[in-house]
Amino acid sequence: MRLTVNGQIQEAVPRPGQCLRTLLRALGWFGVKKGCDAGDCGACTVHLDGEPVHSCLLPAFQAEGRGVTTIEGLAGPCAPGDGLPERFHPMQEAFCAAQGFQCGFCTPGMIMTAAALDQGQRRELGTALKGNLCRCTGYRAIRDAVAGLAHTDLADSGTSGPVGRSLPAPASRAVVSGRAAYTFDAVVPGLLHLKLLRAPHAHARIRRIDRAEALAVSGVVAVLTHEDAPRHRFSTGRHENPSDDAADTMVFDAVIRFQGQRVAAVIAESEAAALAGLRALRVEYDVLPAIFDPEEALRPGAPLVHDPADREPRPGEDAPPLLPHPNLAAEVHGAIGDVEAGFRQAHRIHEADYVSQRVQHVHLETHGALGWLDAEGRLTLRSSTQVPFLTRDALCRLFDLDRDRVRVFSGRVGGGFGGKQEMLTEDLVALAVLRTGRPVTYEMTREESFTAATTRHPMRVRVKIGARADGRLTALSLHVLSNTGAYGNHAGGVLHHGCNESIAAYACPNKRVEGYAAYTHTLPAGAFRGYGLSQTIFAVESALDELARDLGIDPFAMRRLNAVRPGDPMVSTSLEPHDVIYGSYGLDQCLDLVEAALADGSGEPPPGPDWRIGQGMALAMIDTIPPRGHLAHARIRLEPDGTYALSVGTAEFGNGTSTVHGQIAAEVLGTSPERIRLIQADTDAVAHDTGAYGSTGTVVAGQANFRAATALAQRIRAAAAESAGVAPAECRLTGDGVETPGGFVPLTDLAREAVFEAAGVADGSPRSVAFNVQGFRVAVHPGTGTIRILKSVQAADAGTVINPMQCRGQIEGGVAQALGAALYEDVRIDAAGGVVTRTLRNYHVPAMADVPVTQVLFADTHDNVGPLGAKSMSEAPYNPVAAALGNAIRDATGVRLTATPFAPDRIFRKLAPAPKASA
């Protein structure tokens, strides 16, 4: 058929059943993204004869003879593969000016929809954009973009230095024009397609796999099963120290431990052939008893998830377990002081169970990887990952390859939120490439992301907390039960982290923690934004709020009385020395800022007289760097044209590290970020980088960058000083040279004389602490249980805010994602252990109309640990939200909700009067 795409007449022969999205991508229009293939996310939006459509829902043949415009051609005609256009559409310019994106994966579809809105639709933007989802921004920046509001500083605004300025992301124009290349936005000749058969049972043993019929399918190249895979056990969880996670996973396993586990892979010339091969596979199972509840899993006689003989010791296990059960994946125990004596001293005690559910990351770019053998036979993977170096190292161990025989790199990554701190696809692609000798691609479907990727750890936290009449805490006790699912990736790390800062934030003399992570026959949990703290902080901050009410103490006053301050030890359950210090302290400012904001009268008015109004707050503390080592290397070089090439290991997935790296290096070198060319997320680029997780992109990799740039600046000044016959201290670096008392020395002259290059290393120690305080004012309708958020405010102790606009966006996005978890997101498991919520449509990711604008305020601090005084601020905003919202609902209704999500039916049942007994 013939169609016109972006002014180009193109010929195509659609496959039977092919949608327009896949056809456009096959024609080279990679700005059309895949987020769901169900019309739920809007990432694939294009214009068909000028009208926006979700191209994943439109059969390709319906575009015959019609005009299609993708994001690449919104500003005018272009051809596939063209570079940046000479001019941009006004809506593209508006998204640049407002920085209406973070990872940017949703942005092409968002712009295509927004560009077609009339003035009436723009006035009801939440309704008009209900079909376009963004997981990163919290939508405020998108609203501002559509409204024509600009937030970026001009590069030549005259402000001294790039740090502290709201400069745009270096990839801004590539993102808004659809030219930014994500994982699968690449042409690889001879590409094979991998599809997975997944288990229909929660617990079973594979008796037999008959692959003969599958291999007979036209186009099928190979079928891989547990008989073809390495027998080594590993963890999908990635940490600097591999022993931090239980080695309990195999590429393919003869034992099935959850519905959705890998059974076999079919590799074929096309997706259709691979799917046909899957349908032709014949598998026989011996179905085994399964256990789904973590409490039941730890009882005597419970079905075992793993044979103890097949498991290595639990992470960090240096003593016999206190609960010697084979289904125990991890445990934490500790105490300081005399907890029981502390409770005897208490005037009031609150004790309750608080439950946090499974939630999914829902990064709009699903997990996936492309792999091939390069010209030298080296295994090369292009992956959607937060941890390219740790993934490379895992592949080397798994396939017994030297480091120099494996390269892993990332394009731009479409969101992560901790979910891509896992190796969920790369091992499969590597196996397929090594077996076939050909390039292979595997991209998870959205359904696979829900049923087979990782989630947040569901937790049940029993809190017991006591205080004297004046509000001083006397004792604090946690009993935590975490469900790690079928595999123990991150089980120990999440449990320890959740039990640490949540109680270390308070100067209580008597504390005790008992924590357990149990294996069950459910999909595995893993790393998720907050890494255990959102669950335990929900419990601790809710309990503290209840205790303050019992004592008649204002919640802000209760925190001021008991929160740690400089000079206090930061202690959870051990008095052993650690490397966490008060690099700076802004909690007092954060409390003051939120209290004043809630009292200033701003926000939405109450919806009506039938609504009950209340407000609540909660605080969160987080260590700015994960424990046990986090390494980063950076390298920077002066180029012949007087610009700089900066190499770092961190990936860009909406965390904003690309922008921050440019600003840090430019600040040190006296230049502008536009003169810094960034090479990143490639194991060939630098020696090592643990990865962009735990909010380390700025405070660890940024520190390595700062050190490399500082060393290079010293070398350049020294060379210029020698050339001019002056002292280095008399020389000042500028954008294109060095000013000296003896005259101006151009950088291009220096670059002709010698090679100027320097490296920097950071090891993630010592670590500082950051604080966040969240406040809400809400209205609750007692007749329906409906919640309206009238005001949302968060104050952040972020140290030196290197890019205020970008940091604000991180906080807004964290609050929006946490509101989804607090109000409606829930990965539901049925009675057979299968995931029920398999699509975006029945999971309810927050859309624009669901999310209030959050007022963001910054404490004025300068950290002694982070580069240029900065702290981490990606995970932290998520953590206090559920507790603050629950406390506001409690204030409005008098009802304490102890489980998330706070669904209207739950609130209604709590508020409904008890039925009268019959006479």
Side-chain angles (χ1 to χ4, degrees):
M1 73 178 197
R2 177 176 291 186
L3 70 164
T4 301
V5 185
N6 298 327
Q8 305 288 318
I9 297 175
Q10 296 196 267
E11 300 280 349
V13 181
R15 301 187 307 271
Q18 186 174 22
C19 70
L20 182 59
R21 181 191 66 78
T22 58
L23 178 67
L24 290 170
R25 289 185 62 83
L27 293 172
W29 303 107
F30 292 128
V32 184
K33 303 302 183 192
K34 172 187 174 180
C36 65
D37 270 350
D40 294 336
C41 75
C44 68
T45 303
V46 301
H47 292 175
L48 185 66
D49 292 336
E51 294 296 320
V53 297
H54 288 182
S55 61
C56 70
L57 295 181
L58 189 78
F61 73 86
Q62 291 189 11
E64 184 172 10
R66 304 175 74 177
V68 177
T69 304
T70 73
I71 187 68
E72 291 97 330
L74 184 60
C78 62
D82 281 357
L84 292 177
E86 292 183 4
R87 64 183 181 88
F88 284 71
H89 186 277
M91 190 58 69
Q92 293 171 318
E93 293 284 9
F95 268 72
C96 277
Q99 290 289 279
F101 63 89
Q102 285 180 22
C103 85
F105 197 79
C106 73
T107 305
M110 195 75 71
I111 290 175
M112 294 303 292
T113 302
L117 299 180
D118 59 32
Q119 289 302 314
Q121 290 170 314
R122 291 188 186 195
R123 285 193 293 270
E124 298 293 336
L125 203 57
T127 300
L129 290 178
K130 66 182 180 181
N132 291 81
L133 297 177
C134 175
R135 192 55 153 169
C136 298
T137 64
Y139 297 102
R140 188 271 315 158
I142 294 171
R143 285 184 179 275
D144 288 354
V146 177
L149 300 178
H151 299 297
T152 55
D153 289 348
L154 297 177
D156 58 354
S157 64
T159 305
S160 60
V163 166
R165 294 172 59 195
S166 294
L167 299 179
S172 293
R173 301 187 82 76
V175 168
V176 303
S177 64
R179 270 73 173 185
Y182 293 80
T183 307
F184 297 99
D185 299 343
V187 177
V188 181
L191 192 63
L192 296 175
H193 298 264
L194 184 151
K195 291 291 181 181
L196 281 176
L197 181 69
R198 294 190 176 274
H201 306 293
H203 193 198
R205 186 175 296 275
I206 297 173
R207 184 190 308 160
R208 177 173 172 268
I209 300 178
D210 184 348
R211 59 182 108 184
E213 291 183 28
L215 288 169
V217 172
S218 177
V220 170
V221 173
V223 176
L224 302 176
T225 73
H226 62 277
E227 296 174 348
D228 308 293
R231 307 310 299 159
H232 304 304
R233 297 185 184 277
F234 64 98
S235 174
T236 63
R238 301 284 86 230
H239 283 105
E240 180 64 35
N241 184 350
S243 67
D244 281 358
D245 301 282
D248 56 10
T249 306
M250 302 177 77
V251 178
F252 288 107
D253 200 324
V255 177
I256 301 302
R257 296 181 177 87
F258 73 98
Q259 272 197 45
Q261 183 173 311
R262 306 165 175 178
V263 173
V266 175
I267 299 97
E269 300 287 352
S270 68
E271 284 193 49
L275 291 170
L278 290 184
R279 291 191 292 271
L281 284 171
R282 301 291 178 261
V283 184
E284 297 176 9
Y285 301 93
D286 291 324
V287 179
L288 302 171
I291 190 78
F292 308 125
D293 181 84
E295 190 170 349
E296 294 177 5
L298 296 180
R299 290 175 181 164
L304 299 186
V305 180
H306 292 269
D307 186 327
D310 292 339
R311 281 187 57 233
E312 295 182 8
R314 284 186 292 276
E317 186 175 302
D318 53 9
L322 297 184
L323 181 65
H325 196 293
N327 285 340
L328 182 65
E331 59 182 339
V332 56
H333 303 277
I336 60 167
D338 187 332
V339 174
E340 296 309 320
F343 283 125
R344 288 194 295 271
Q345 296 165 9
H347 183 72
R348 288 284 191 275
I349 292 174
H350 173 75
E351 185 172 12
D353 287 349
Y354 293 87
V355 178
S356 297
Q357 81 283 22
R358 282 181 183 85
V359 291
Q360 231 286 330
H361 308 81
V362 196
H363 31 73
L364 286 189
E365 182 187 47
T366 60
H367 296 273
L370 293 160
W372 61 89
L373 299 175
D374 70 9
E376 299 176 353
R378 185 169 63 149
L379 178 64
T380 303
L381 270 77
R382 178 186 177 104
S383 174
S384 183
T385 181
Q386 297 174 227
V387 285
F389 291 81
L390 300 188
T391 298
R392 176 204 57 190
D393 293 350
L395 294 174
C396 289
R397 288 189 294 270
L398 189 57
F399 294 103
D400 195 24
L401 297 169
D402 293 335
R403 274 187 170 188
D404 61 359
R405 301 304 300 162
V406 180
R407 177 193 177 199
V408 177
F409 71 100
S410 300
R412 193 173 178 91
V413 176
F417 314 114
K420 293 175 181 175
Q421 194 191 334
E422 308 276 351
M423 187 172 72
L424 298 180
T425 61
E426 297 90 345
D427 58 319
L428 284 169
V429 172
L431 176 63
V433 170
L434 293 172
R435 282 301 181 115
T436 65
R438 290 181 57 184
V440 175
T441 180
Y442 171 51
E443 181 179 10
M444 276 194 181
T445 65
R446 180 56 61 189
E447 181 172 322
E448 284 181 299
S449 291
F450 276 115
T451 60
T454 58
T455 69
R456 182 176 74 165
H457 284 74
M459 283 189 191
R460 183 180 300 123
V461 182
R462 170 158 284 270
V463 181
K464 185 176 181 182
I465 186 168
R468 297 197 302 251
D470 64 359
R472 286 281 183 187
L473 296 180
T474 60
L476 175 56
S477 173
L478 295 186
H479 184 282
V480 180
L481 180 58
S482 173
N483 185 349
T484 197
Y487 294 96
N489 45 301
H490 300 283
V494 166
L495 186 65
H496 281 78
H497 193 237
C499 293
N500 185 41
E501 290 104 295
S502 59
I503 62 174
Y506 292 105
C508 177
N510 306 297
K511 299 177 184 177
R512 178 175 60 213
V513 166
E514 293 180 1
Y516 305 92
Y519 285 115
T520 61
H521 291 108
T522 58
L523 80 161
F528 189 97
R529 196 174 200 167
Y531 210 67
L533 282 175
S534 67
Q535 301 96 306
T536 52
I537 285 174
F538 168 53
V540 171
E541 291 295 305
S542 298
L544 193 64
D545 190 76
E546 203 65 33
L547 189 62
R549 291 179 183 279
D550 286 349
L551 293 168
I553 298 175
D554 175 81
F556 286 95
M558 189 73 171
R559 270 73 175 185
R560 290 189 182 98
L561 183 65
N562 289 290
V564 293
R565 53 181 57 87
D568 291 338
M570 286 179 280
V571 172
S572 53
T573 60
S574 172
L575 296 175
E576 291 294 318
H578 55 70
D579 66 342
V580 181
I581 64 173
Y582 293 100
S584 61
Y585 183 84
L587 175 58
D588 50 350
Q589 295 180 54
C590 290
L591 290 166
D592 292 346
L593 288 167
V594 172
E595 186 175 33
L598 288 176
D600 68 10
S602 63
E604 297 295 322
D610 296 335
W611 294 71
R612 302 180 186 179
I613 312 302
Q615 66 183 39
M617 56 78 63
L619 70 78
M621 182 177 86
I622 191 169
D623 296 343
T624 57
I625 302 169
R628 295 167 61 81
H630 201 105
L631 306 178
H633 292 243
R635 189 174 69 249
I636 190 163
R637 181 180 67 251
L638 177 64
E639 299 285 78
D641 63 358
T643 62
Y644 300 91
L646 170 63
S647 298
V648 297
T650 48
E652 175 59 63
F653 51 93
N655 50 343
T657 53
S658 298
T659 315
V660 167
H661 278 307
Q663 288 181 264
I664 290 173
E667 180 81 14
V668 174
L669 292 165
T671 189
S672 64
E674 292 79 11
R675 297 177 66 85
I676 308 288
R677 180 172 63 90
L678 189 65
I679 302 112
Q680 64 184 136
D682 188 337
T683 56
D684 278 359
V686 293
H688 186 69
D689 191 291
T690 298
Y693 66 85
S695 304
T696 55
T698 296
V699 293
V700 180
Q703 187 73 277
N705 168 9
F706 174 78
R707 291 169 178 168
T710 299
L712 181 62
Q714 290 171 347
R715 287 198 60 200
I716 291 173
R717 280 195 296 266
E722 184 177 355
S723 172
V726 300
E730 298 178 276
C731 301
R732 186 175 74 88
L733 266 168
T734 66
D736 56 358
V738 184
E739 293 178 349
T740 80
F744 184 77
V745 182
L747 291 176
T748 51
D749 289 356
L750 291 173
R752 279 196 297 269
E753 297 298 323
V755 174
F756 289 87
E757 187 173 16
V761 180
D763 63 4
S765 184
R767 301 177 289 148
S768 187
V769 286
F771 296 93
N772 296 72
V773 176
Q774 174 70 40
F776 286 111
R777 183 180 303 112
V778 303
V780 181
H781 195 284
T784 63
T786 303
I787 301 169
R788 295 269 184 89
I789 296 174
L790 307 180
K791 184 175 179 67
S792 171
V793 56
Q794 186 167 130
D797 172 25
T800 298
V801 182
I802 291 178
N803 189 307
M805 170 188 60
Q806 182 174 275
C807 193
R808 176 187 178 188
Q810 289 292 314
I811 294 167
E812 291 169 333
V815 172
Q817 189 176 25
L819 281 172
L823 289 171
Y824 25 72
E825 294 185 42
D826 189 2
V827 177
R828 298 194 301 275
I829 306 294
D830 64 21
V835 174
V836 175
T837 44
R838 294 168 173 250
T839 66
L840 293 174
R841 190 163 300 179
N842 64 11
Y843 179 72
H844 195 165
V845 172
M848 179 177 283
D850 298 319
V851 180
V853 172
T854 292
Q855 181 182 4
V856 176
L857 305 167
F858 293 112
D860 183 9
T861 58
H862 179 95
D863 200 67
N864 294 328
V865 173
L868 299 170
K871 295 187 185 184
S872 56
M873 199 47 61
S874 291
E875 290 187 279
Y878 186 95
N879 295 328
V881 171
L885 187 60
N887 292 341
I889 295 169
R890 168 69 169 86
D891 189 53
T893 65
V895 168
R896 172 61 63 185
L897 299 174
T898 58
T900 52
F902 303 142
D905 59 324
R906 291 184 177 181
I907 297 173
F908 173 78
R909 286 196 298 268
K910 283 274 193 177
L911 292 175
K916 295 181 180 179
S918 57

